[in-house]
Amino acid sequence: MKIFFITSNDGKVREAKALLEPLGVEVIKKTIEYPEIQAGSLEEVVEFGAKWLAEILDGPFMIEDSGLFIEALNGFPGVYSAYVYKTIGLDGILKLLSDVENRRAYFKSVIGYYDGKLHIFKGIVWGRISTEKRGIHGFGYDPIFVPDGYEKTFAEMTTEEKNAISHRGKALKEFHRWLKENLKY
Ligand code: ITT
């Protein structure tokens, strides 16, 4: 089967393809700018975006909203992750945490699949913010995030290694389980 993934982020598409295509789900990227409201949660952003896109798209589609939540910063950048990445960037986050001992943080991914109804799938991965940028793979905050149980950052892992433990990998696996049960493709 084919799934249209509405996103501007090639990193997200690469991860979705790596995980879903061996399972028989073809992922097709489609870039359509949709409003990302300033809401208190990723779920609300996905809900609003999916309803907005449903008005202009014919077939089923998926979107995804994600963010990095840093404990010592009360969950910042969280829903503002895309904006913060583009403005203060990784160096800005490292500077904010320069004297901070508690470096705990988690990534969260919320996938919305719309087929006339909205279905939500979520994944979280806990870890810590490193003291310097490391690695060349992945995208976004990957060079400064070390998942629990590892010494490497996400940017020092292959797409497959990251998918096996990441927030997006977990949400995609849940989504795939649902597709198999409900669509029996
Ligand atoms: P869309 O078009 O799909 O919205 P986006 O890049 O704007 O793509 P989001 O709105 O979901 O994505 O914003 C998430 C931000 O969090 C984005 O800037 C990424 O840099 C970062 N992010 C999300 N998932 C990540 C991951 O797996 N690794 C590193 N950074 C991630």
Side-chain angles (χ1 to χ4, degrees):
M1 72 173 295
K2 285 183 182 155
I3 299 266
F4 286 97
F5 188 176
I6 316 300
T7 179
S8 60
N9 187 318
D10 289 330
K12 291 183 180 182
V13 176
R14 192 167 53 239
E15 292 176 12
K17 277 180 180 283
L19 199 140
L20 293 175
E21 295 202 340
L23 301 169
V25 181
E26 191 187 344
V27 177
I28 301 160
K29 178 186 170 193
K30 227 179 159 145
T31 303
I32 303 172
E33 292 294 331
Y34 60 90
E36 293 199 14
I37 51 161
Q38 285 306 335
S41 70
L42 301 177
E43 286 84 350
E44 287 169 82
V45 176
V46 166
E47 208 167 299
F48 187 89
K51 299 242 156 93
W52 189 90
L53 283 166
E55 298 286 324
I56 59 165
L57 288 175
D58 270 341
F61 62 87
M62 73 175 266
I63 58 175
E64 195 249 22
D65 204 54
S66 39
L68 176 66
F69 296 76
I70 301 174
E71 205 170 71
L73 304 179
N74 294 317
F76 183 82
V79 291
Y80 307 109
S81 293
Y83 178 73
V84 168
Y85 180 74
K86 282 181 223 138
T87 52
I88 65 169
L90 304 184
D91 292 327
I93 294 287
L94 290 178
K95 210 174 275 173
L96 281 176
L97 292 179
S98 59
D99 290 325
V100 179
E101 210 172 297
N102 174 16
R103 306 188 73 88
R104 299 281 295 154
Y106 67 87
F107 267 123
K108 181 169 176 179
S109 159
V110 177
I111 291 174
Y113 179 65
Y114 189 87
D115 62 357
K117 254 178 71 180
L118 181 62
H119 309 275
I120 297 275
F121 308 93
K122 305 178 198 182
I124 280 183
V125 60
W126 273 95
R128 62 180 192 280
I129 304 299
S130 57
T131 48
E132 72 287 308
K133 294 181 274 187
R134 292 199 315 261
I136 54 161
H137 303 295
F139 66 98
Y141 297 97
D142 282 344
I144 61 165
F145 185 84
V146 180
D148 279 354
Y150 291 79
E151 292 305 321
K152 294 197 275 194
T153 67
F154 268 163
E156 294 176 298
M157 297 183 180
T158 62
T159 303
E160 285 70 22
E161 274 180 288
K162 182 183 168 190
N163 265 344
I165 53 174
S166 76
H167 51 312
R168 185 166 299 100
K170 288 175 186 167
L172 285 167
K173 279 176 221 159
E174 220 198 279
F175 177 34
H176 177 252
R177 260 195 301 277
W178 181 89
L179 283 172
K180 277 209 103 114
E181 264 169 38
N182 290 275
L183 304 184
K184 311 204 182 341
Y185 66 91

